[in-house]
Amino acid sequence: MQTSDDAYENFILRHLQHYGLFTGRVSPSCSPRRDQSPGRGRWAITQDYQSDTHPSPPRSPDNITGDEEQDAEGPYPLLLTKPVRTRQLLLDFVRGRPIPRLREPRDLLAIPCLSSPFQGVRWPAECEVTVDDIQHIEWDPPEAEPFYQCTGHERTPMPVGDDRGRVVYAIDPATKMPYFTCSRVGGTRGPLKNPSCPNVPETSLSFESRFESGNLQKAVQVGVHDYELTLRHDLYTTKHTQWFYFRVENMKAGVPYRFTIVNLLKPSSLYSSGMRPLLYSKRAASEQGQGWTRTGTNIKYYRNNVEEDGRPLYSLTWTLEFPYGGDTCYLAHCYPYTFSQLQRYLYAVMARSSVAAYCKLRVLCRSIAGNPVYVLTITAPGDGSEESAVKPAVVLTARVHPGETNSSWIMQGFLDFILSDSPDACLLREMFVFKVIPMLNPDGVVVGNYRCSLAGRDLNRNYQTLLQESFPCVWYTRNMVKRLLSERDVILYCDLHGHSRKNNVFMYGCDSRHDTSVDLQERVFPLMMSKNAQDKFSFSSCKFQVQKSKEGTGRIVMWRLGIRNSYTMESTFGGSTLGNRTGTHFTTRDLKAIGFHLCDTLLDYCDPDESKAQQCLAELNTLVALKMRRKLGLGDIDFEGSLDIVSVSDFESSTGGSNSSESDGPPVHLMSSVKQSQIQPPKKQLRSRKERNRLHRKLTRRTISRSAPKSTDTMVTTQPQPQESQPCTMSKKKSQDILTMVKTQTRARAEIHQCAICFQTSAPNHDLGFGCSAQIRRGARMPHHSPQEMFLHTVEAYDISTALPKFYRGGHVACPGAQPRPISGSSVPVSVHKDKQGQALPIHTASLTLSPRYEACQVTHCRLRSE
């Protein structure tokens, strides 16, 4: 029997052997008759015929020697004496001779039949799943839905639990094992358990969440119309409860019901800023064509009196009146978008004959549970020219966090436009190759997780992983981008997300601080986006930091692979605070419009006419200069330094977002083995004293040559004047050098990476009070300075002359007989300090001298806190 390294090919070969289509030896009596039809003749099959191209005809069996018959790798004849009982073979005829090849595996187009009750969705084997196929109509309200206005009189009910309430709904946590083991279409086998508890009054509400993306764990009735709700954690974790989606029945119309979710984990939420939950009524949808609407009054988000594993819990409470009695309604955190809904959308898209010419749908990989991760390749058919072969690429992904459903609506808006017959869409397909992954985490979407996959980890912290089996979705995505970069340029990577604590739409990018040739270029695309979507996109909310805690995100990993424009687009769960949409919620139409604006901005960014890009760069330089002045407190000081010296991202606040530190790293069941297999890094070998002295002398010569003046005329020498201060006389070049040492952050914090006063000197006993590392080692108290004072105090020196008052002297004694040699310096402005009697002591300007007594040393860190 012929074998292959490919498991799929082996399966087909065994399949053919099972039906008697292979024979073990060639017999001359088996040669076909001339009057026999070509389809029933005898021909050989080899591995080469499994390619899409037609190979050359096989050799005639009559020419095969005896040794070749015994060779396991030789061709095997195939007898078609009976009908072929497989659909995996395709027969091509070359000169009347049949040439077999394998059909493309069905997994490449794994969209199951729409009549399937679960549409092939695979669940963890422990999950109970209802047979209902949940579908909602798409609808946009005729008017914008406003935020809830807080009155200050909202109630804050505290959890009472099962002791003082009646449990009306409870389901198994679906985590019998601490980690994922196996999956099954439709979840667990056997009849479903009744989630309603006994002795529940007939007037109580009926809850259900055992459907796709639902995650209600328990409901406790604590009043006649008050219900306390507990959400299920992300499977195989003990955290990430923010997304909710469940069904309610048996309600009465016109009765105010109160719902309180008691186990939320985030300390802040958009519900504190006026965001309202979503309500969907099946009766309103069937009778009035009305879909999801914002609803609720007396909305309050607050910390309750319960802790879980040492973490405080938060509650969300709201009241609402259902529009109809005896209705079936759904409540959700954001507009749901399930895996089955994505499959229905892709099925409808590929059913259009015109789309097949420029859109190919394939399966990138299979998730842990076996659900397909779809990838679409969208581009105009090539004409064989070199330009079409090297078209730049654009990569878009969404739903790596399953609870951020707004990203799927943005993705659908993007696909609606790029697959349309619009002239702009045709132009984009001519210009680019689009690689689109609409749902990176289908397992998490299916089970109703907010942030994690079935590995119990945040996929957006594991793009650097080597665990292909545990993180297949991001592992294959990263490899796909690597292969794409080897073939063509990738002009844009954008990962679509949702944000639970900020309004509007904005982007997180990566600051190319070490590449001055592309300075501020990463900010051009977001700025263009804000101009195209002025009432939805906020450029002021965009951040461009590369934080260590976010090293495993798709944005930073793709940026390090070489994609300059690598972004995370965050869309709010709430609404807009911009333009005429101020104080209103986003609808699905607004979210899909963001996808259209993304295409529009891509055209502007790649326009051969660079006037728009140049205008944006000029505007960015002005904005950044103003921000730097404001943060540094420069005021009216002349500052004309280039922006490549100080990274603008250091002046920006943290990108924030959800804390996934406990969901980072390998899966739970691999944690112990990984810890045991970690290899301790080798200890750093200490240098000998001779090597250290040689290194110090070399460093001293280098710093002296860099800092010594070219002529004595350039040195500033000023005698101390006790009652007056001298103005700052720093040159532009000096100010630029100083800016490299000034790192300010929000909250009025500043960091200086090299201490200015004791820079490159051995001054362990100085008492200048600038908070240098020498004082930190001695435990001295660090004074407070404003950012402007710090900027003006930052100077380079090797020693302080004895002309300074003792309070500000370095406390050094020059070597006897050594002649102090002046170096370049700057006058120091007044900085008010107080003595023990509370009187102000000014810092006076003085010349700076070099004492050869001290050897060079480096001061690594100095931190100052402003007042």
Side-chain angles (χ1 to χ4, degrees), residues 148 151 153-160 168 205 207 219-230 246 248 251-252 254-262 277 296-302 315-322 331:
Y148 170 73
T151 63
H153 302 288
E154 290 79 9
R155 291 175 52 191
T156 57
M158 294 299 166
V160 299
V168 297
L205 293 177
F207 295 87
V220 179
Q221 187 176 8
V222 297
V224 179
H225 302 297
D226 290 5
Y227 293 86
E228 187 177 284
L229 309 178
T230 301
F246 56 91
V248 182
M251 72 283 295
K252 294 181 180 179
V255 175
Y257 290 89
R258 175 176 292 276
F259 299 97
T260 304
I261 301 175
V262 298
T297 57
N298 298 315
I299 303 172
K300 185 73 174 179
Y301 192 92
Y302 57 96
S315 291
L316 169 66
T317 183
W318 76 98
T319 61
L320 65 88
E321 295 183 6
F322 294 100
L331 292 169

Side-chain angles (χ1 to χ4, degrees), residues 138-420:
E138 293 187 27
W139 175 81
D140 291 299
E143 296 180 358
E145 299 171 302
F147 288 165
Y148 170 73
Q149 299 299 323
C150 180
T151 63
H153 302 288
E154 290 79 9
R155 291 175 52 191
T156 57
M158 294 299 166
V160 299
D162 305 351
D163 299 335
R164 297 170 53 187
R166 179 187 293 109
V167 178
V168 297
Y169 177 81
I171 60 174
D172 294 335
T175 53
K176 298 178 182 178
M177 297 291 291
Y179 48 85
F180 172 78
T181 55
C182 61
S183 64
R184 185 178 293 116
V185 174
T188 185
R189 293 176 179 173
L192 300 178
K193 299 178 182 178
N194 185 10
S196 300
C197 297
N199 302 324
V200 175
E202 295 181 357
T203 58
S204 298
L205 293 177
S206 176
F207 295 87
E208 184 59 83
S209 65
R210 294 173 297 174
F211 48 80
E212 203 169 339
S213 296
N215 69 335
L216 180 64
Q217 182 72 44
K218 184 172 65 174
V220 179
Q221 187 176 8
V222 297
V224 179
H225 302 297
D226 290 5
Y227 293 86
E228 187 177 284
L229 309 178
T230 301
L231 303 180
R232 193 203 65 225
H233 297 287
D234 283 11
L235 288 187
Y236 314 112
T237 73
T238 59
K239 59 182 301 185
H240 303 305
T241 52
Q242 200 72 22
W243 158 265
F244 61 88
Y245 178 36
F246 56 91
R247 186 176 69 195
V248 182
E249 294 178 326
N250 198 34
M251 72 283 295
K252 294 181 180 179
V255 175
Y257 290 89
R258 175 176 292 276
F259 299 97
T260 304
I261 301 175
V262 298
N263 65 331
L264 300 175
L265 290 172
K266 289 191 176 182
S268 61
S269 173
L270 285 171
Y271 289 109
S272 301
S273 304
M275 177 178 158
R276 296 185 177 188
L278 283 163
L279 171 68
Y280 183 92
S281 169
K282 290 188 69 174
R283 186 170 173 182
S286 60
E287 295 181 2
Q288 304 177 14
Q290 178 177 314
W292 289 99
T293 58
R294 297 285 178 174
T295 186
T297 57
N298 298 315
I299 303 172
K300 185 73 174 179
Y301 192 92
Y302 57 96
R303 178 175 175 177
N304 55 42
N305 56 4
V306 180
E307 290 188 357
E308 184 179 74
D309 297 332
R311 297 170 300 188
L313 297 182
Y314 298 83
S315 291
L316 169 66
T317 183
W318 76 98
T319 61
L320 65 88
E321 295 183 6
F322 294 100
Y324 301 99
D327 194 8
T328 298
C329 295
Y330 295 86
L331 292 169
H333 179 62
C334 189
Y335 304 99
Y337 200 104
T338 63
F339 180 59
S340 297
Q341 185 173 351
L342 172 67
Q343 289 187 317
R344 288 193 295 268
Y345 175 79
L346 295 178
Y347 184 89
V349 165
M350 298 310 298
R352 293 156 45 187
S353 57
S354 58
V355 173
Y358 50 80
C359 178
K360 303 299 181 184
L361 178 64
R362 295 292 184 266
V363 171
L364 176 68
C365 64
R366 291 277 176 173
S367 64
I368 297 178
N371 291 306
V373 178
Y374 298 105
V375 57
L376 294 92
T377 303
I378 305 170
T379 188
D383 55 2
S385 61
E386 294 183 0
E387 295 182 358
S388 62
V390 294
K391 279 197 255 185
V394 175
V395 180
L396 263 72
T397 61
R399 291 299 285 280
V400 69
H401 293 152
E404 297 170 359
T405 59
N406 39 10
S407 64
S408 281
W409 291 103
I410 297 176
M411 178 63 75
Q412 181 170 324
F414 170 83
L415 291 175
D416 286 342
F417 179 79
I418 201 66
L419 296 175
S420 67

Side-chain angles (χ1 to χ4, degrees), residues 421-433:
D421 297 330
S422 168
D424 287 346
C426 295
L427 179 59
L428 285 172
R429 295 194 297 266
E430 292 286 345
M431 294 172 59
F432 303 105
V433 176

